[in-house]
Amino acid sequence: MTRLALLLTSFLLVASFGCTQKKEESTSSPAEKSSSKKELIVGTDAAYAPFESENADKTLSGFDIEIMQAVAAKAGLQIQIVNTPWEGLFNQLNSGDRDILISAITINEERKKSMDFSDPYFEAVQLIAVPNKSTVTKFEDLKKLKVGVQIGTTGDSVVTQLLGRDSSSIKRFEGTPLALQELINGGVDAVVADNGVINNFFANNPKNFKVLSDTSFSKEVYGIAVKKGNTELLQKINSGLSQIKADGTYDNIYRKYFGEKKN
Ligand code: ARG
């Protein structure tokens, strides 16, 4: 696949939603900075529309970006959101390179061992994207097929459970857009990923694909992550979250990206 095709696809995948975060250029000197409030670095894998995307001008936009900014504003936190590859993202909390992660991260027991999560801010579930003419009707049907996932995601986990860790039928990609591009190219028969992202893909490619759900997929919730033990920061984030849920800010952002709230 050519670089251009890749670029074009990622652009198409991210282009559908419009809000923009201008990176705030800091004009203060390092000394001034340390005397004023510390800017917290937030990591996100911004190749996950409609949650986080990088625009052509390198600014970031999406549901998570707006939620994070709104939470930070309420909690009095100064933040800079930095595009950070998914692989290695979790390690960046421990190394101190990132203070906070928001990246459509599903809270699960495994991850709770190495980082702390905020209260849930979004409900999700896995979905399957297949070509229109595919005979697949349920998750089990993927057993005989090539399946694309983003490495280390919950989509990867469910497919790994079905096909086995070392199955050569699982194609693991660094980013979900790459997996979806491979579906377009016909290199995989299906992609399993979070509903928000699969639905967004389908909205941009309605003619050639269909989306399937499966009762075996359990409900997931997203959380904002901080370094294990950083309760002070976590409390501030939770307080910001509950404030934006209480005053309608959360609902406004939700509606902008997903339409009327179902629950
Ligand atoms: N919710 C899934 C997980 O936590 C996928 C998240 C991928 N996020 C991203 N920005 N690429 O495993």
Side-chain angles (χ1 to χ4, degrees):
M1 168 182 4
T2 65
R3 257 187 104 73
L4 182 65
L6 255 180
L7 268 172
L8 269 174
T9 317
S10 6
F11 180 74
L12 285 176
L13 280 168
V14 303
S16 51
F17 291 94
C19 160
T20 297
Q21 186 216 12
K22 283 264 176 272
K23 268 202 198 126
E24 267 151 46
E25 299 294 346
S26 171
T27 47
S28 56
S29 71
E32 278 167 336
K33 244 187 174 170
S34 63
S35 63
S36 67
K37 225 185 303 159
K38 184 180 170 251
E39 186 177 69
L40 299 168
I41 307 296
V42 182
T44 189
D45 169 29
Y48 211 64
F51 296 96
E52 41 262 343
S53 309
E54 188 175 78
N55 306 311
D57 64 356
K58 298 282 180 195
T59 56
L60 304 179
S61 60
F63 177 79
D64 281 354
I65 307 302
E66 292 195 43
I67 292 292
M68 193 63 236
Q69 284 166 338
V71 165
K74 295 281 188 213
L77 301 171
Q78 218 175 297
I79 58 161
Q80 193 195 340
I81 309 182
V82 179
N83 194 359
T84 310
W86 177 254
E87 270 197 278
L89 183 66
F90 299 166
N91 291 335
Q92 306 251 10
L93 286 178
N94 270 328
S95 67
D97 290 327
R98 302 288 179 270
D99 303 289
I100 300 173
L101 306 178
I102 187 160
S103 203
I105 303 171
T106 300
I107 303 173
N108 65 27
E109 292 310 313
E110 187 56 33
R111 291 171 180 173
K112 277 200 226 163
K113 289 181 198 156
S114 61
M115 55 193 146
D116 286 340
F117 284 101
S118 70
D119 297 330
Y121 69 91
F122 193 83
E123 274 185 22
V125 69
Q126 296 303 303
L127 286 178
I128 308 162
V130 289
N132 243 340
K133 35 185 194 315
S134 169
T135 55
V136 171
T137 59
K138 55 185 186 310
F139 186 45
E140 278 261 318
D141 297 341
L142 299 185
K143 265 187 172 157
K144 302 145 276 171
L145 302 174
K146 281 206 176 66
V147 187
V149 294
Q150 182 176 14
I151 190 163
T153 58
T154 45
D156 186 356
S157 310
V158 294
V159 173
T160 296
Q161 271 169 36
L162 184 75
L163 296 175
R165 174 148 300 281
D166 302 321
S167 164
S168 60
S169 302
I170 308 178
K171 304 271 173 226
R172 297 187 174 90
F173 296 87
E174 279 170 35
T176 297
L178 294 173
L180 292 167
Q181 180 58 46
E182 197 65 1
L183 182 66
I184 293 173
N185 295 345
V188 293
D189 304 300
V191 167
V192 178
D194 296 7
N195 54 334
V197 169
I198 292 286
N199 285 331
N200 184 63
F201 168 76
F202 179 67
N204 292 320
N205 301 273
K207 282 209 204 90
N208 304 320
F209 299 93
K210 59 186 175 188
V211 173
L212 306 169
S213 55
D214 193 278
T215 49
S216 72
F217 297 141
S218 40
K219 192 188 98 180
E220 301 181 21
V221 288
Y222 295 167
I224 299 170
V226 301
K227 186 176 183 170
K228 199 149 191 58
N230 195 350
T231 37
E232 195 190 329
L233 180 56
L234 199 60
Q235 273 163 14
K236 287 184 185 162
I237 291 171
N238 278 335
S239 143
L241 256 181
S242 64
Q243 289 178 64
I244 67 163
K245 282 180 184 166
D247 75 357
T249 306
Y250 179 95
D251 287 345
N252 284 337
I253 300 172
Y254 186 98
R255 227 175 279 125
K256 172 171 170 189
Y257 287 93
F258 304 105
E260 277 314 312
K261 215 167 181 267
K262 280 165 250 116
N263 43 24

